[in-house]
Amino acid sequence: MKPMDFVWSDGEILDNQKGGISFNQGLNYGAAIYEGIRFYKTSKCPAVFRLNEHIDRFLYSAKVLRMNLSFSKEELISGVKNGIIKNQLQEGYIRPLAFYSEPKMGINILDGKVQCLILAWPWEKREPKQVRLFTTSWKRSSPDSIDFKAKIAGYYGNNLLGFLEARENGFDEPLFLDRNNFITEGAVNNIFFVKDNILYTPTAKNILNGITRQSIIEIAKDLKIETKQKNLDLNFARGADEIFLTGTGVELEVVQEIKGIFQNKSEPLVTEKVASYYRKVARGEVPKYHHWLTYVS
Ligand code: PMP
């Protein structure tokens, strides 16, 4: 479909005869996929953490949305590396993003053109903060509504509603329950509970099974810390010793409070132990996990 010649934009009529006004099915229907990836300074050179797994998830998301990406896994990996090299970055965040890019009306995305971007930002160390969670009244989408293994922008409508409710109640982030009132995850993070030196985390059924979550479960074994994946409710959260969130961006983030349910009273020692080991693993300081790193030189 030819774009309109003139478009009303923020109160002005703009000339769009050459196109260029952002309107596409990606924006309109959330027909977009993305990843969030970290890379860290290591003793050798910058290294991307679990790049293979992130690109595999990106390709899976593309498949679910029937996107013709026209780039192979190898090409995307070299796109990520080039983004780091060209921007002369040492440590930062990468966002591969693909969206249906034609200025088309209607929901038929089949055979639509796709634009694929790889963005890279510097991300220096930041002070760890403790987060306060609000149990949102919006229930998490269920696995019979969406494919949780894909990371599709359109899903985040649910996450945004919870986020807004949490912020409007004076809290940092939402905590989502499923329709059976089991705990699922945050808006963009998975959740873990510490109880008697054991980690507990909701099963992968109703969540995005984060790459950080999977990494934590794996590396905790080295610290002789067992992880149990179970259905967990707010009553369980009430009795937890420590709670933390995980995600590529935050790594591990201590939960200070869940409104009316949990209050962190002491030093979260287990969380700190796991967080510090994770930081070492991600920065190439633990040889056993060097295969999780893609060096960029
Ligand atoms: N859950 C949701 C809904 C997310 O958006 C994210 C961020 N990708 C996560 C969990 C954490 O995933 P990861 O550890 O792969 O960053």
Side-chain angles (χ1 to χ4, degrees), residues 88-107:
Q88 301 184 336
L89 301 174
Q90 290 294 316
E91 186 145 315
Y93 187 82
I94 303 276
R95 165 127 319 160
L97 173 74
F99 59 100
Y100 280 95
S101 56
E102 283 178 71
K104 238 177 23 176
M105 259 198 312
I107 201 162

Side-chain angles (χ1 to χ4, degrees), residues 57 140 151 156 159 185 187-190 208 210-212 246-248:
R57 188 166 68 184
R140 194 81 184 96
K151 199 162 161 52
Y156 284 80
N159 308 34
E185 58 181 336
V188 288
N189 296 117
N190 295 122
L208 181 88
I211 290 166
T212 320
T246 66
T248 296

Side-chain angles (χ1 to χ4, degrees), residues 194-205:
V194 182
K195 178 83 189 150
D196 301 330
N197 218 35
I198 293 174
L199 300 184
Y200 292 84
T201 193
T203 65
K205 196 172 90 182

Side-chain angles (χ1 to χ4, degrees), residues 11-71:
E12 276 181 74
I13 298 286
L14 300 184
D15 186 344
N16 191 42
Q17 291 174 77
K18 294 201 181 108
I21 301 282
S22 297
F23 169 70
N24 53 60
Q25 292 170 307
L27 186 64
N28 209 149
Y29 299 104
I33 61 166
Y34 75 94
E35 276 301 314
I37 310 174
R38 289 286 288 273
F39 60 98
Y40 299 98
K41 221 186 270 182
T42 70
S43 56
K44 281 195 233 168
C45 58
V48 188
F49 186 60
R50 307 209 71 174
L51 180 57
N52 264 303
E53 291 79 357
H54 280 286
I55 298 298
D56 282 343
R57 188 166 68 184
F58 191 64
L59 290 169
Y60 180 78
S61 304
K63 195 166 119 196
V64 170
L65 265 196
R66 311 294 189 271
M67 272 183 177
N68 178 13
L69 268 191
S70 46
F71 297 102

